Amino acid sequence: METRLWWRLSSGRALGVLNGMLLEYDKSTLAPLGLVLPAEELLGKIIVVADSGVEECIIDYDMIGEEGDEQQDCEEYQEREQAVLVHGVDNDSFTVIQPNEDGSYWRKIVRNKIARMKERRREKAAMKYAIEILGVEEGKAMSEVISTWGPYTSTRGNAL
Protein backbone atom coordinates (compact mmCIF):
# COMPACT_ATOMS: atom_id res chain seq x y z
CA MET A 1 0.00 0.00 0.00
CA GLU A 2 1.32 3.43 -0.95
CA THR A 3 1.83 6.15 1.65
CA ARG A 4 -0.76 8.93 1.47
CA LEU A 5 -0.22 12.10 3.51
CA TRP A 6 -1.96 15.48 3.25
CA TRP A 7 -1.20 19.02 4.39
CA ARG A 8 -3.72 21.85 4.07
CA LEU A 9 -1.78 25.09 4.36
CA SER A 10 -3.22 28.25 5.93
CA SER A 11 -3.57 29.66 2.39
CA GLY A 12 -5.98 26.84 1.59
CA ARG A 13 -3.49 25.14 -0.73
CA ALA A 14 -3.20 21.38 -0.39
CA LEU A 15 0.00 19.36 -0.61
CA GLY A 16 0.06 15.60 -0.55
CA VAL A 17 2.37 12.63 -0.86
CA LEU A 18 1.19 9.95 -3.22
CA ASN A 19 3.34 7.18 -4.69
CA GLY A 20 6.34 8.74 -2.95
CA MET A 21 5.99 12.13 -4.70
CA LEU A 22 5.03 15.48 -3.14
CA LEU A 23 2.25 16.96 -5.27
CA GLU A 24 0.17 20.14 -5.11
CA TYR A 25 -3.58 19.66 -5.35
CA ASP A 26 -6.47 21.97 -6.20
CA LYS A 27 -7.94 23.19 -2.93
CA SER A 28 -11.57 22.59 -3.87
CA THR A 29 -11.50 19.40 -5.96
CA LEU A 30 -8.18 17.94 -4.73
CA ALA A 31 -7.27 17.25 -8.35
CA PRO A 32 -3.47 17.08 -8.78
CA LEU A 33 -1.96 20.31 -10.13
CA GLY A 34 1.67 19.30 -10.43
CA LEU A 35 4.83 17.86 -8.98
CA VAL A 36 6.53 19.70 -6.12
CA LEU A 37 9.26 17.13 -5.32
CA PRO A 38 9.98 13.81 -7.03
CA ALA A 39 10.14 10.54 -5.11
CA GLU A 40 13.96 10.43 -5.30
CA GLU A 41 14.22 13.68 -3.31
CA LEU A 42 11.69 12.51 -0.67
CA LEU A 43 13.03 9.02 0.00
CA GLY A 44 13.96 8.81 3.69
CA LYS A 45 12.89 12.43 4.36
CA ILE A 46 10.46 14.10 6.76
CA ILE A 47 8.10 16.89 5.64
CA VAL A 48 7.25 19.69 8.11
CA VAL A 49 5.04 22.78 7.78
CA ALA A 50 6.19 25.57 10.14
CA ASP A 51 4.91 29.11 10.67
CA SER A 52 7.45 31.61 9.33
CA GLY A 53 5.71 34.96 9.06
CA VAL A 54 4.73 38.00 11.04
CA GLU A 55 3.23 36.46 14.19
CA GLU A 56 1.42 39.57 15.44
CA CYS A 57 -0.59 39.52 12.22
CA ILE A 58 -1.89 35.97 12.46
CA ILE A 59 -5.62 36.28 11.98
CA ASP A 60 -7.90 34.54 14.48
CA TYR A 61 -10.95 33.88 12.30
CA ASP A 62 -13.06 33.09 15.39
CA MET A 63 -12.60 36.66 16.72
CA ILE A 64 -13.40 38.64 13.54
CA GLY A 65 -16.11 41.23 14.06
CA GLU A 66 -15.98 41.24 17.87
CA GLU A 67 -15.63 44.43 19.93
CA GLY A 68 -12.04 45.56 20.49
CA ASP A 69 -10.73 43.64 17.51
CA GLU A 70 -6.97 44.26 17.60
CA GLN A 71 -6.39 42.84 14.13
CA GLN A 72 -7.30 46.03 12.27
CA ASP A 73 -3.62 46.92 11.74
CA CYS A 74 -3.12 43.65 9.89
CA GLU A 75 -6.02 43.73 7.44
CA GLU A 76 -3.74 43.13 4.45
CA TYR A 77 -2.77 39.72 5.87
CA GLN A 78 -5.24 37.03 4.92
CA GLU A 79 -3.36 33.99 6.18
CA ARG A 80 -0.31 32.88 8.14
CA GLU A 81 2.96 32.70 6.23
CA GLN A 82 4.28 29.17 6.41
CA ALA A 83 7.46 27.33 5.44
CA VAL A 84 7.37 23.84 3.93
CA LEU A 85 10.52 22.03 5.06
CA VAL A 86 12.00 18.67 4.09
CA HIS A 87 14.78 17.15 6.19
CA GLY A 88 16.61 13.89 6.54
CA VAL A 89 15.82 11.42 9.31
CA ASP A 90 19.29 12.04 10.79
CA ASN A 91 18.79 15.83 10.53
CA ASP A 92 21.66 15.99 8.05
CA SER A 93 20.09 18.17 5.37
CA PHE A 94 17.26 20.68 5.24
CA THR A 95 15.43 21.88 2.15
CA VAL A 96 12.98 24.79 2.13
CA ILE A 97 10.31 24.34 -0.55
CA GLN A 98 9.80 27.90 -1.82
CA PRO A 99 6.39 28.80 -3.22
CA ASN A 100 5.90 30.88 -6.34
CA GLU A 101 4.83 34.52 -6.11
CA ASP A 102 1.17 33.52 -6.43
CA GLY A 103 1.54 31.05 -3.53
CA SER A 104 1.44 27.93 -5.68
CA TYR A 105 4.17 25.31 -5.44
CA TRP A 106 4.44 24.37 -9.10
CA ARG A 107 7.84 25.22 -10.46
CA LYS A 108 8.08 28.59 -12.14
CA ILE A 109 10.86 30.93 -11.04
CA VAL A 110 9.98 34.61 -10.77
CA ARG A 111 11.59 36.36 -7.83
CA ASN A 112 11.60 39.94 -6.59
CA LYS A 113 12.81 41.56 -3.37
CA ILE A 114 9.67 40.71 -1.40
CA ALA A 115 9.83 37.11 -2.59
CA ARG A 116 13.50 36.88 -1.55
CA MET A 117 12.68 38.31 1.91
CA LYS A 118 9.94 35.71 2.40
CA GLU A 119 12.30 32.98 1.21
CA ARG A 120 14.91 34.10 3.76
CA ARG A 121 12.30 34.03 6.58
CA ARG A 122 11.34 30.48 5.60
CA GLU A 123 15.01 29.47 5.64
CA LYS A 124 15.35 31.03 9.12
CA ALA A 125 12.28 29.06 10.23
CA ALA A 126 13.97 25.87 8.97
CA MET A 127 17.16 26.71 10.89
CA LYS A 128 15.16 27.54 14.05
CA TYR A 129 13.26 24.26 13.74
CA ALA A 130 16.51 22.32 13.26
CA ILE A 131 18.20 23.98 16.25
CA GLU A 132 15.32 24.15 18.73
CA ILE A 133 13.29 21.05 17.90
CA LEU A 134 15.83 18.64 16.43
CA GLY A 135 18.88 19.77 18.44
CA VAL A 136 21.14 20.42 15.45
CA GLU A 137 24.16 22.67 16.09
CA GLU A 138 23.72 26.23 14.78
CA GLY A 139 26.72 26.12 12.44
CA LYS A 140 25.62 22.82 10.94
CA ALA A 141 22.03 24.04 10.54
CA MET A 142 23.24 27.13 8.66
CA SER A 143 25.25 25.05 6.21
CA GLU A 144 22.67 22.28 5.78
CA VAL A 145 19.54 24.36 5.06
CA ILE A 146 19.03 24.85 1.33
CA SER A 147 16.10 26.04 -0.76
CA THR A 148 14.59 24.39 -3.79
CA TRP A 149 12.55 25.69 -6.69
CA GLY A 150 11.55 22.40 -8.30
CA PRO A 151 14.54 20.87 -10.04
CA TYR A 152 16.71 23.90 -9.12
CA THR A 153 18.53 24.58 -5.84
CA SER A 154 19.67 28.00 -7.02
CA THR A 155 18.46 30.67 -9.40
CA ARG A 156 22.02 31.29 -10.61
CA GLY A 157 22.40 30.60 -14.32
CA ASN A 158 18.65 30.38 -14.96
CA ALA A 159 16.77 32.80 -17.16
CA LEU A 160 14.40 34.64 -14.87
Side-chain angles (χ1 to χ4, degrees):
M1 181 174 248
E2 291 294 325
T3 301
R4 293 183 181 101
L5 301 169
W6 295 89
W7 294 265
R8 188 170 298 272
L9 304 178
S10 68
S11 63
R13 298 199 180 272
L15 299 178
V17 173
L18 182 62
N19 298 330
M21 300 176 291
L22 182 61
L23 303 170
E24 181 175 0
Y25 293 85
D26 178 76
K27 63 183 173 184
S28 59
T29 64
L30 294 181
L33 296 174
L35 181 69
V36 177
L37 281 178
E40 303 83 50
E41 292 183 38
L42 280 181
L43 189 60
K45 305 284 181 155
I46 296 170
I47 300 169
V48 176
V49 176
D51 287 339
S52 64
V54 183
E55 291 183 20
E56 60 268 14
C57 288
I58 293 175
I59 295 176
D60 182 357
Y61 291 99
D62 296 329
M63 299 296 287
I64 290 178
E66 291 191 13
E67 292 291 325
D69 188 1
E70 296 178 3
Q71 298 173 358
Q72 294 172 11
D73 295 336
C74 302
E75 288 183 11
E76 70 272 10
Y77 293 94
Q78 297 179 356
E79 67 218 28
R80 291 187 321 273
E81 183 179 295
Q82 295 178 310
V84 179
L85 318 172
V86 178
H87 67 84
V89 176
D90 297 327
N91 307 327
D92 56 350
S93 65
F94 294 85
T95 302
V96 179
I97 309 298
Q98 299 287 0
N100 299 308
E101 244 178 46
D102 65 357
S104 68
Y105 285 85
W106 60 280
R107 303 296 92 197
K108 65 178 180 179
I109 300 178
V110 177
R111 298 171 63 238
N112 62 24
K113 184 177 180 179
I114 293 172
R116 291 190 308 270
M117 287 173 23
K118 288 180 178 180
E119 290 167 2
R120 186 68 188 133
R121 283 197 303 262
R122 291 184 198 102
E123 289 168 353
K124 286 181 180 179
M127 285 186 269
K128 182 177 179 181
Y129 175 83
I131 294 166
E132 293 179 6
I133 305 297
L134 300 176
V136 175
E137 295 176 20
E138 185 175 348
K140 184 175 182 184
M142 290 177 70
S143 65
E144 295 293 334
V145 171
I146 61 169
S147 288
T148 181
W149 296 265
Y152 309 107
T153 56
S154 169
T155 56
R156 180 174 292 167
N158 297 316
L160 300 177

